[in-house]
Amino acid sequence: MKLLAAMSGGVDSSVAAALAVRDGHEVVGATLKQWSFEDDAVRVGKGCNTLDAVADARRAADVIGIAHYTFDFREIFERDVVDPFVADYAAGLTPNPCVRCNELVRFGALARKAEMLGFEGIITGHYARTDGTRLYRARNADKDQSYVLYAIDVSKAHFPLGEIASKDEVRGIARELDLLNADRADSLEVCFVGDGRRPGDVVAERVPVAVRSGPIVDDSGNVVGEHRGLAYYTIGQRKGLGVAAPEPRYVAKLDVERNAVVIAAAGGLGATSLEATRPRFVRDVAADGERFDAVVRYRGEPAPATYEATQDGFVLTFDRPVRAVAPGQAVVLYRGDEVVGGGTISNSA
Amino acid sequence: MMVDEPVHYLDYAATAPILPDVREAMLPYLAERYGNPSSIYATGREARKGVDEAREKLALAIGASPEEIVFTGGGTEAGNIAVKGVAWANAERGKHILLPKIEHHAVLDSAEWLAKIGFEIGFLKVDRGGLVSPDDVAAKLRDDTTLVCVMLANNEIGTIEPVAEIATICRERGVTTFTDAVQALGKIHVDVKALGVDLAAFSAHKIGGPKGTGALYVRRGVRLVPHTHGGGQERGRRSGTENPAGVVGFATAAEIVTGELETEPLRWTTLRDRLRDALLRLPDVQLNGHPTDRLPHNLNISVKGVVGEDVLLMLDAKGICASTGSACQSGSVEPSYVLKACGVENKWAEGALRLTVGRSTTDADVDAVLTELPPIIERLRSYKR
């Protein structure tokens, strides 16, 4: 097949492209320029989008022996990922920008461009599996990234790393192929936030009014401290609250109206149900009463739950209370290893 | 994309393949004539001789005197030395610089940088075809204007500017003129004395010479503050050990291409016009740049309803090398600033495609474009954006 490999410059996407070549596909590499840091030359982060990343991807493509292009996706990325990310944080939500990026950018705009240019599919270095109609967890459970892929159109997706059992095996292949970035550390940060910065910094730069200090209150309404701005906090967060208490306190709620961070002891955090919007199903829409293992954050534990559709999404009722259900995050519905679908958490109770 | 397919190179404005005679002329300086031109012993003297002869040859090719040639590390460096050097040298007299927005980035960005440190930039108008008007120059000259920059020919649209007329106006007002002649050399007659400019920039690789080599013509008597200080080479205008292989290659190329000016450009024009006439017959395709005042090898068209970059990628897959405009802007989907300055609307500018023919171009290359391009345009247009 004629495939376009989305290459970030990291080891995973480089090996994915190389494996596709090894499998006999006609592969061309592409790196998306997604973001302009104020000074690309100085800020050399590990994200998907720095000049360094483009250079690394180009070198990897050279080593693999494929053509490589750089596509300027800054406008698309800004509109479909960064702007909603900022708006969500400003609204007291905790968004997952990777979900939107995969849905709207990689397997959205890039897939459409690839099709237009005559490519039959997109290769990424994600750890997940697909047969073109369904989506499954990766063989390597530790690396599984199916959570951030539930919203994509899998018909054009190729994940060569999904069948590989261990990260070491990927690094081994990278060394075998003499890919220079074989030992480069994986990126764990949101790619456009930048090294040593936090999402709240990005929000503060763009919507200063949304990031104001305010009170930290306990579940009885007593003011027990001061916060830096809601965008710096996430539901379930324990560290960095600066509140002295006999037992650990966690962020239970971000109250936008009062610009307050509400904290609670662990016992007061469990949600017995959640509401989700923006429902996406990989193939078949779920049926009311259907049982799923729900995952409410990246690398989160599956929690058994019952599904019921609503007008603009669905409600999940958990068998047992689930901690740290943060509005804005994705909830992904698994049936064993299969990703059936998911949505954006709008509320929990 | 596929290495084994024949390549149709139609991007001579980006660079040109090194001419075989140029390579031959350079080789001794990459081998036994390794000496530093400033050294007194034999191999140094040989290198010096090579540089001196190159300077004479290039001077002859552009109508200058050898001592008016400053060899540089390329056209961009030549442009930087000219713009900044003249601005600084005349700063006490005035800080006003005039140029059109279609100048190459080497000139444009140098001027914009000067604007950040206290100089003032005035922009000259260009018409739809990219032409600067001498009347506009005359009207915009001020008592504190010290430098006027107008390129001899534009790199994207190939428009040939009325540089001689502009230089006459400036000379009468005591204003220094600089022309970027990088794209013009070897395509049209370039005689710096006839043009009457004070400075002119040239590049070797655009005419079949090596990359990383250029030259600046500096008319005798022109004040210039150098920005590379060191051993005082190039009469102190550009210090640094000379590049004998590079300048010998440059001069050899200049000698060859200026010697072919009576024949090659006519051949290019025939090829270019075949491309132009066939492509302009396609629906919603228009010509960019000037219909007649343009370089003989340059075609620049806009295809409505497509993004130029997409066309390039699909042409690449067919072994056809083309460009959307300036090679310096690749990887960006911003429509060309040159077309923007000419008043070309975005919906047209984003579908710009530049095809520039040259010495190796044949009818087979033109045939390849005319076979492959129409279906590519049709395919891209069938996708809604």
Side-chain angles (χ1 to χ4, degrees):
Chain A
M1 289 175 94
K2 196 177 167 194
L3 301 172
L4 186 73
M7 298 177 72
S8 70
V11 60
D12 289 339
S13 57
S14 301
V15 170
L19 289 176
V21 171
R22 188 186 276 184
D23 287 345
H25 296 296
E26 187 186 328
V27 180
V28 169
T31 303
L32 304 185
K33 189 168 181 351
Q34 295 175 171
W35 188 252
S36 309
F37 284 110
E38 272 175 27
D39 189 348
D40 270 332
V42 175
R43 191 183 286 280
V44 283
K46 300 185 194 78
C48 306
N49 45 53
T50 59
L51 284 182
D52 261 20
V54 172
D56 284 351
R58 195 172 54 224
R59 287 301 299 140
D62 287 344
V63 171
I64 299 165
I66 58 175
H68 175 263
Y69 299 124
T70 304
F71 294 147
D72 187 348
F73 266 49
R74 284 175 296 182
E75 262 181 51
I76 292 165
F77 191 72
E78 182 88 23
R79 182 193 66 208
D80 289 342
V81 180
V82 182
D83 287 349
F85 172 88
V86 170
D88 279 359
Y89 264 114
L93 305 172
T94 307
N96 186 319
C98 301
V99 167
R100 288 188 73 95
C101 181
N102 286 321
E103 176 190 356
L104 300 171
V105 181
R106 280 179 169 62
F107 295 97
L110 178 63
R112 284 195 297 279
K113 185 180 176 87
E115 189 188 345
M116 186 171 77
L117 295 174
F119 292 94
E120 294 160 88
I122 297 276
I123 300 165
T124 67
H126 284 113
Y127 287 81
R129 287 176 295 141
T130 180
D131 55 10
T133 58
R134 296 173 188 268
L135 179 67
Y136 303 92
R137 284 188 191 272
R139 290 260 180 256
N140 178 356
D142 291 344
K143 298 297 297 182
D144 175 56
Q145 293 174 314
S146 56
Y147 175 86
V148 292
L149 296 167
Y150 75 90
I152 71 165
D153 171 6
V154 295
S155 66
K156 295 277 157 49
H158 294 258
F159 304 127
L161 302 189
E163 298 290 344
I164 294 182
S166 81
K167 179 90 183 178
D168 287 343
E169 201 177 323
V170 171
R171 291 197 185 282
I173 296 168
R175 281 199 204 93
E176 206 179 296
L177 291 166
D178 210 14
L179 289 169
L180 304 169
N181 51 4
D183 295 310
R184 197 171 85 155
D186 284 323
S187 162
L188 296 172
E189 306 297 324
V190 173
C191 63
F192 55 87
V193 169
D195 273 0
R197 281 157 47 96
R198 300 175 57 192
D201 298 331
V202 174
V203 184
E205 278 164 17
R206 291 166 165 250
V207 196
V209 67
V211 187
R212 291 162 294 140
S213 60
I216 298 177
V217 300
D218 66 18
D219 39 6
S220 321
N222 304 310
V223 174
V224 294
E226 192 184 9
H227 69 76
R228 301 173 56 190
L230 297 188
Y232 286 99
Y233 302 84
T234 302
I235 288 178
Q237 174 182 340
R238 178 184 159 192
K239 288 178 183 160
L241 296 178
V243 173
E247 51 180 316
R249 289 288 190 275
Y250 300 84
V251 174
K253 191 182 170 203
L254 301 175
D255 186 335
V256 179
E257 269 172 43
R258 291 193 293 158
N259 190 34
V261 170
V262 183
I263 59 169
L269 284 168
T272 53
S273 70
L274 66 76
E275 290 168 38
T277 56
R278 290 187 89 244
R280 298 285 185 273
F281 292 94
V282 177
R283 206 178 76 142
D284 302 320
V285 175
D288 284 355
E290 209 171 330
R291 302 273 297 154
F292 291 107
D293 289 322
V295 175
V296 297
R297 68 186 154 278
Y298 189 52
R299 301 207 194 291
E301 287 294 315
T306 305
Y307 172 93
E308 194 179 332
T310 61
Q311 194 153 15
D312 59 350
F314 54 86
V315 170
L316 284 183
T317 309
F318 297 112
D319 293 6
R320 290 175 297 280
V322 172
R323 282 174 23 102
V325 178
Q329 289 280 291
V331 54
V332 180
L333 309 174
Y334 288 88
R335 187 189 292 126
D337 270 356
E338 184 185 355
V339 177
V340 176
T344 306
I345 300 168
S346 54
N347 220 334
S348 68
Chain B
M1 235 180 295
M2 301 303 282
V3 184
D4 43 353
E5 281 174 23
V7 168
H8 301 285
Y9 189 75
L10 291 142
D11 204 10
Y12 269 82
T15 195
I18 292 191
L19 297 167
D21 288 351
V22 167
R23 191 166 43 223
E24 283 304 310
M26 290 174 71
L27 282 175
Y29 299 92
L30 299 169
E32 68 273 13
R33 296 182 200 160
Y34 56 82
N36 187 319
S38 300
S39 299
I40 58 163
Y41 38 76
T43 181
R45 291 196 305 272
E46 281 173 351
R48 165 62 58 202
K49 183 165 168 266
V51 173
D52 286 347
E53 285 174 1
R55 201 181 303 281
E56 287 163 16
K57 266 188 199 172
L58 183 65
L60 191 67
I62 63 166
S65 299
E67 67 274 17
E68 293 173 317
I69 302 290
V70 175
F71 282 121
T72 68
T76 290
E77 191 189 356
N80 272 260
I81 294 173
V83 176
K84 295 172 191 168
V86 171
W88 288 336
N90 293 285
E92 282 177 16
R93 202 165 65 76
K95 292 193 164 187
H96 184 235
I97 299 165
L98 284 173
L99 70 163
K101 282 186 176 163
I102 63 165
E103 288 293 309
H104 187 274
H105 274 294
V107 173
L108 204 55
D109 290 10
S110 290
E112 280 172 2
W113 178 77
L114 285 170
K116 282 187 199 157
I117 60 166
F119 289 82
E120 190 189 337
I121 310 259
F123 286 111
L124 298 165
K125 284 188 300 203
V126 296
D127 67 11
R128 183 89 185 180
L131 275 180
V132 175
S133 144
D135 290 344
D136 187 46
V137 177
K140 285 186 174 139
L141 282 176
R142 305 192 317 210
D143 289 342
D144 62 341
T145 307
T146 56
L147 175 65
V148 172
C149 310
V150 177
M151 64 204 319
L152 189 48
N154 182 267
N155 48 310
E156 294 192 17
I157 53 178
T159 301
I160 301 170
E161 302 293 349
V163 171
E165 275 181 75
I166 292 166
T168 302
I169 293 164
C170 293
R171 197 165 49 245
E172 283 164 4
R173 301 279 295 265
V175 176
T176 304
T177 49
F178 161 64
T179 192
D180 169 1
V182 165
Q183 290 289 337
L185 185 63
K187 315 297 185 301
I188 56 173
H189 283 282
V190 178
D191 182 323
V192 290
K193 299 297 176 199
L195 287 170
V197 294
D198 297 297
L199 305 103
F202 301 92
S203 164
H205 77 97
K206 306 285 190 191
I207 61 167
K211 292 167 184 66
T213 302
L216 180 66
Y217 158 73
V218 186
R219 188 179 57 76
R220 209 172 305 152
V222 167
R223 296 176 64 205
L224 193 67
V225 171
H227 67 228
T228 306
H229 300 93
Q233 290 89 346
E234 302 299 312
R235 300 178 158 236
R237 260 96 185 243
R238 200 274 195 180
S239 285
T241 299
E242 298 88 341
N243 172 6
V247 302
V248 166
F250 185 8
T252 307
E255 189 179 36
I256 293 170
V257 298
T258 50
E260 292 175 345
L261 277 176
E262 301 302 328
T263 51
E264 275 292 295
L266 281 173
R267 203 179 65 82
W268 302 335
T269 305
T270 309
L271 293 166
R272 189 269 313 271
D273 288 355
R274 239 189 95 207
L275 271 176
R276 180 194 64 194
D277 296 346
L279 295 177
L280 288 183
R281 272 198 294 273
L282 299 174
D284 277 329
V285 174
Q286 71 178 26
L287 182 72
N288 293 320
H290 199 276
T292 52
D293 294 344
R294 74 188 299 146
L295 293 176
H297 73 316
N298 171 294
L299 177 63
N300 189 315
I301 56 169
S302 274
V303 181
K304 203 163 101 182
V306 307
V307 173
E309 186 193 56
D310 293 337
V311 178
L312 294 193
L313 299 181
M314 298 200 72
L315 285 175
D316 181 21
K318 302 289 183 188
I320 296 171
C321 312
S323 152
T324 54
S326 152
C328 315
Q329 297 220 117
S330 61
S332 160
V333 291
E334 290 287 304
S336 148
Y337 72 96
V338 171
L339 295 181
K340 195 176 166 193
C342 296
V344 176
E345 304 83 349
N346 264 355
K347 65 181 179 195
W348 286 99
E350 65 186 10
L353 182 68
R354 182 186 70 182
L355 296 163
T356 41
V357 302
R359 225 165 168 272
S360 74
T361 314
T362 63
D363 275 311
D365 298 312
V366 171
D367 290 340
V369 174
L370 295 181
T371 306
E372 302 293 352
L373 185 54
I376 288 172
I377 292 171
E378 202 171 318
R379 177 186 174 90
L380 293 175
R381 277 179 174 162
S382 73
Y383 282 84
K384 260 203 191 137
R385 285 194 289 121

